[in-house]
Amino acid sequence: MSRPPQSGANLRRGSLAAVLAVAGLAAVAAAPPSAQDFWQSFKVSPSSTLDLKNRDGTIRVKGRRKINSIVISAKITSGDARVVAERAPDGTIQVDAKGPGTVNFDIEVPESTNLKLLSFRGSMHISHSSGAIKASILTDGSIELIDLQSPSVEAHSANGNVVFKGAVLPTGRYALKTFSGSVEATLPASSDFKLVAKSVQGGMDLGKFPLNFGKRTNQVVEGICGAGGASVSLWTQEGVIRLRSEP
Amino acid sequence: MDCRIIVESLSSYLDGSLFDHEISSIDNHLVNCHECSAVHSDLAQIRMAARSLPQYEPPSHIWYQIRERVARETPSIPESAEAGKQSWWRRIMSARYTVTLPQMVGAGAMTLLVAFGTGIVSRQNLRRDGSESAPPSIDTLGMAAFAFEQPFREEINRKLSSINLQKASWDPQIREGFDRRLLRIDDSLKSCRQNVLNHPGDSDSRQLMISLYEEESQFLEDVERMK
């Protein structure tokens, strides 16, 4: 069956639509990147707390010297999520991603800010912090804690690696746990700490720390390095534990 | 230690009224003896359920009436020489008892409670959310457990009962992730429990079980926070 011949008017309308479509696409491509979906800043004291809950997405928190604000940027990449941030009566900055969807957070905090981060799924990256940290991922996602000077760290993922690189303070407590991932802790070679490491199925590599072992089996290791002091607890059900020293 | 002696001592064991060495020998026995461990578990459940019942203060006139009744009836009991020789069982059986309606209701409730508690423990496939048709991913508390697991299980049960009320309103993806996570922890617990059964002297498996319970407890706490 042959197509009926197009009239001149139809051809002109078709050409005009095509030109408009191309122009529209060009305009979109040339536009500056869209603004963040959420941005808010709070003036805070040095020992304030950030309490963040997310359902799905990445959370990046970076500690900075000489700033006195928590600056929250968030991008909603899918779903109908919305971000609510407010100051609680005790001064805690509470951030909550409500509703289904993926939200990626990028947050700057004074380096001594205490962090309480909880996510159902998605990775967390925390760097340059000297506050107390509690980071939990309830299902899938890894946690990276880099360049820390924190007195207390609790990092916990269900299915993902937990990586810690930083100092352990003499009375500090550090608990790194994952069910189905590996735990990797890199500490200064001169660190003093008590170690409890438990790996059920994956094994352990405890590096070159001069540990004085109280107990050493395939699955459970208890030992003291130097004068003890800090408490380091590493646990994984299915992954490997790696303890590294750096000069 | 004899199972009979253990079972007789369990009530004091749960009351915390035994000496340290008695506690540790019962602990050791419970680790190795499945039957006694099950009885201990039953007792602990019943005590817990009884603790949650509301307490009623009886009206003051009840005590007055009891004292009156005792005073009235005491002289009528024959003080024959035979009475002293009667067995305790015969004395109990021949005594006259008056039971008030609240006492009967209380006794009935207690009987039901014991039956219910025993039923709970013996049901191997009890589902955490109370539904028989729920997937096995949420099955832990119906399993036989060691004495040292009891406090963890109680805590987890308490947290789960409040979470299960909310679960229906979660989006399916989150619900699926939640169940999957519990299933994995449960599987690991089962495997560790089997290790403890096979090697009772292996303290590692016990420690790892405790770590798993802490993991589960932390998980449920985080889920509660997430709400």
Side-chain angles (χ1 to χ4, degrees), chain A residues 53-97:
Chain A
K53 292 175 200 165
N54 194 16
R55 289 163 69 102
D56 193 356
T58 305
I59 300 172
R60 284 180 186 279
V61 181
K62 190 169 187 177
R64 285 199 180 277
R65 285 183 186 174
K66 296 177 184 171
I67 66 168
N68 59 0
S69 297
I70 291 177
V71 182
I72 304 156
S73 306
K75 200 154 181 60
I76 298 159
T77 58
S78 70
D80 300 323
R82 64 193 172 85
V83 178
V84 176
E86 59 195 8
R87 192 190 302 271
D90 67 352
T92 298
I93 303 303
Q94 293 178 327
V95 184
D96 203 346

Side-chain angles (χ1 to χ4, degrees), chain A residues 51 53-55 118 120-121 136 138 156 158 179-180 198 200 215 217 219-220 222 235 237-238, chain B residues 171 173-174 177-178 180-181 184-185 188 203-204 207-208 211-212 215 218-219 222-223 225-226:
Chain A
D51 186 347
K53 292 175 200 165
N54 194 16
R55 289 163 69 102
L118 177 61
F120 192 77
R121 185 171 54 200
S136 293
L138 297 186
H156 182 257
F179 192 88
S180 314
K198 296 176 190 172
V200 181
K215 175 173 189 171
T217 65
Q219 296 178 317
V220 180
E222 293 171 5
W235 178 81
Q237 179 72 15
E238 297 173 354
Chain B
D171 77 49
Q173 210 178 18
I174 287 186
F178 175 84
R180 190 160 40 91
R181 175 94 191 266
R184 295 193 77 161
I185 296 175
S188 301
S203 63
D204 279 6
Q207 271 199 41
L208 296 170
S211 297
L212 282 165
E215 163 86 359
Q218 181 64 55
F219 171 58
D222 286 339
V223 168
R225 260 182 72 205
M226 202 72 177

Side-chain angles (χ1 to χ4, degrees), chain B residues 20-61:
Chain B
D20 285 352
H21 70 274
E22 292 172 316
I23 292 170
S24 65
S25 41
I26 291 177
D27 275 342
N28 289 337
H29 184 90
L30 291 178
V31 169
N32 297 316
C33 176
H34 225 56
E35 286 78 16
C36 288
S37 182
V39 175
H40 166 261
S41 198
D42 285 1
L43 267 177
Q45 292 263 9
I46 291 165
R47 284 165 61 93
M48 200 167 64
R51 269 204 300 272
S52 65
L53 287 174
Q55 291 198 343
Y56 293 106
E57 187 71 28
S60 55
H61 68 268

